[in-house]
């Protein structure tokens, strides 16, 4: 998609918002190549780092809301039909990916809307099962904002850090390289947090049973 490449090459607050909106729907836009390069330029004094994070998060919220509305009103059969269609495949989408996001959502509850925003392959689709489950919109928006905000802060910190180390022509390659490490660390952190809360729930449950 040449027009996406054009937008990526002309980052400002408006294009950051638009690209992150697309990234949170089903359009294959890598958020790493939006927020981190924008933060890289912010470190050079061209734009404001906090506004980069703000507009990226607003864009993510807007795109996620579109997916949420689709899941809420269209329902599973139509969502699956689109995922399996030619246009769905162009967007790198298929039924298996949607089902994966559904399993993650139902296995982890509402908190999945936060943590799912941090996990590759789940991040841009987690809002669909939230809509299918008729999750309250204010809860969905709150959790989405928290998850997207954390992710955007991580990407912004990476871009800011790379400004003093990497020439611009090498930036995207370095972002993708460091991005793989970040994904591994985040996945591990989410797994540890899940095990912690599961263990806490189990111990509380045993305690309550013993009291009875």
């Amino acid at each position: 998609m040449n027009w996406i490449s054009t937008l990526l090459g002309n980052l400002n607050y408006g294009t950051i918002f638009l690209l992150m909106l697309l990234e949170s729907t089903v359009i294959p836009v890598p958020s790493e190549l939006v927020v981190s390069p924008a933060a890289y330029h912010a470190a050079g004094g061209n734009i404001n780092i906090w506004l980069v994070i703000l507009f990226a998060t607003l864009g993510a919220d807007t795109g996620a809301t579109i997916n949420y509305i689709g899941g809420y009103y269209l329902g599973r059969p139509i969502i699956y039909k689109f995922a399996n269609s030619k246009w769905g495949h162009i967007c790198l989408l298929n039924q298996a990916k949607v089902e994966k996001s559904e399993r993650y959502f139902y296995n982890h509850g509402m908190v999945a809307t936060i943590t799912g925003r941090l996990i590759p392959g789940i991040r841009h689709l987690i809002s669909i099962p939230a809509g299918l489950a008729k999750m309250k919109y204010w809860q969905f928006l709150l959790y989405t904002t928290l998850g997207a905000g954390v992710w955007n802060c991580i990407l912004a910190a990476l871009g800011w850090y790379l400004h003093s180390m990497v020439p611009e022509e090498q930036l995207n390659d370095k972002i993708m390289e460091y991005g793989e490490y970040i994904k591994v660390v985040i996945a591990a952190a989410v797994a540890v947090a899940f095990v912690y809360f599961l263990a806490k729930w189990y111990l509380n449950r045993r305690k309550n049973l013993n009291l009875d």
Side-chain angles (χ1 to χ4, degrees):
M1 298 183 182
N2 292 332
W3 60 275
I4 291 180
S5 298
T6 301
L7 291 176
L8 287 170
N10 296 276
L11 290 174
N12 54 53
Y13 303 128
T15 55
I16 291 168
F17 173 87
L18 177 58
L19 287 166
M20 292 302 291
L21 182 157
L22 296 175
E23 189 267 348
S24 286
T25 55
V26 294
I27 308 297
V29 178
S31 56
E32 296 93 332
L33 298 184
V34 179
V35 181
S36 293
Y40 183 93
H41 293 300
N46 298 321
I47 50 180
N48 184 282
I49 185 66
W50 300 112
L51 291 179
V52 167
I53 295 171
L54 173 64
F55 279 95
T57 304
L58 289 175
D61 283 347
T62 305
T65 295
I66 293 172
N67 277 4
Y68 170 88
I69 291 172
Y72 195 101
Y73 290 105
L74 297 180
R76 189 172 285 103
I78 295 178
I79 295 294
Y80 285 175
K81 185 175 181 179
F82 173 77
N84 291 324
S85 70
K86 175 183 175 181
W87 287 105
H89 294 161
I90 289 174
C91 294
L92 305 181
L93 195 62
N94 56 51
Q95 184 173 329
K97 289 183 178 180
V98 178
E99 290 176 339
K100 180 180 178 182
S101 69
E102 287 188 80
R103 286 193 299 271
Y104 186 85
F105 181 84
Y106 289 113
N107 289 340
H108 296 80
M110 292 182 180
V111 178
T113 312
I114 299 177
T115 58
R117 298 293 309 183
L118 305 174
I119 300 176
I122 296 290
R123 183 168 58 246
H124 65 301
L125 297 178
I126 195 65
S127 47
I128 293 177
L132 291 172
K134 303 293 193 281
M135 183 180 185
K136 291 180 180 179
Y137 180 69
W138 71 266
Q139 290 180 323
F140 164 78
L141 185 60
L142 173 62
Y143 294 158
T144 297
T145 300
L146 290 173
V150 169
W151 177 243
N152 290 330
C153 284
I154 292 171
L155 294 181
L158 174 60
W160 188 278
Y161 168 74
L162 289 177
H163 182 266
S164 61
M165 299 177 56
V166 177
E168 189 168 357
E169 59 270 16
Q170 298 176 16
L171 178 61
N172 287 351
D173 290 337
K174 281 295 180 182
I175 287 172
M176 300 310 293
E177 178 186 336
Y178 279 78
E180 291 303 314
Y181 300 136
I182 290 172
K183 290 172 185 176
V184 170
V185 170
I186 288 175
V190 170
V192 168
F194 175 70
V195 170
Y196 169 78
F197 285 112
L198 183 63
K200 187 176 180 181
W201 171 84
Y202 177 74
L203 291 173
N204 287 337
R205 185 169 179 271
R206 286 197 61 182
K207 181 179 180 181
N208 292 333
L209 288 174
N210 291 333
L211 289 175
D212 292 340

